[in-house]
Amino acid sequence: GAGVLLIPIVNIIFSAVNDIIAIIDCEIAYQSFERMLVILDTEARATFINIANAEIGLIAILLALFFAARLVAFIIDRPRKLWYCIETNRWFRFHASYRAHCKVNDKKKKKRKM
């Protein structure tokens, strides 16, 4: 009869010991997490802020380069035109083109007058 009474008691003791071990493990884990939070707060935060500032700086540089590239593309697509023909209201980039245009216009005028 005594063996029958011991089995439930031993089971209760084992389950209590398992619960206590689980609680102890959680306390150890909480202590480890608290230490990790202190380390993260003191050391990792500064590193994170430095990395974030570097990324913001890189984004600013990339935006500046993007707008500079757009400006250069705009300038290259629309070359400077210096010579203007009043009669035809046209602009020319090269002086040779302007002179050729004027000569053709002069010839057309001479033909019309005849």
Side-chain angles (χ1 to χ4, degrees):
V4 174
L5 289 176
L6 283 178
I7 293 177
I9 293 174
V10 171
N11 283 338
I12 291 171
I13 291 172
F14 278 133
S15 66
V17 168
N18 282 335
D19 292 340
I20 291 170
I21 290 173
I23 291 171
I24 291 172
D25 286 343
C26 287
E27 286 180 13
I28 292 171
Y30 287 137
Q31 290 172 0
S32 299
F33 287 135
E34 286 176 3
R35 281 184 259 145
M36 284 175 39
L37 287 176
V38 170
I39 291 170
L40 286 174
D41 208 27
T42 57
E43 295 177 12
R45 178 182 281 176
T47 304
F48 173 75
I49 290 172
N50 291 338
I51 291 172
N53 289 336
E55 288 179 353
I56 289 170
L58 288 174
I59 289 170
I61 290 169
L62 285 174
L63 286 174
L65 289 174
F66 172 76
F67 288 117
R70 292 293 303 226
L71 179 65
V72 168
F74 181 82
I75 291 170
I76 290 172
D77 286 343
R78 292 157 189 84
R80 247 176 84 189
K81 296 180 180 179
L82 300 175
W83 291 276
Y84 179 69
C85 180
I86 296 171
E87 298 167 358
T88 57
N89 197 27
R90 288 186 60 192
W91 285 91
F92 294 93
R93 181 175 176 196
F94 302 108
H95 188 64
S97 301
Y98 170 72
R99 284 188 313 203
H101 177 74
C102 289
K103 284 181 184 179
V104 169
N105 279 343
D106 289 343
K107 287 181 183 179
K108 285 182 183 178
K109 283 182 192 176
K110 287 180 184 178
K111 284 185 181 181
R112 287 181 194 160
K113 288 182 182 179
M114 290 184 186

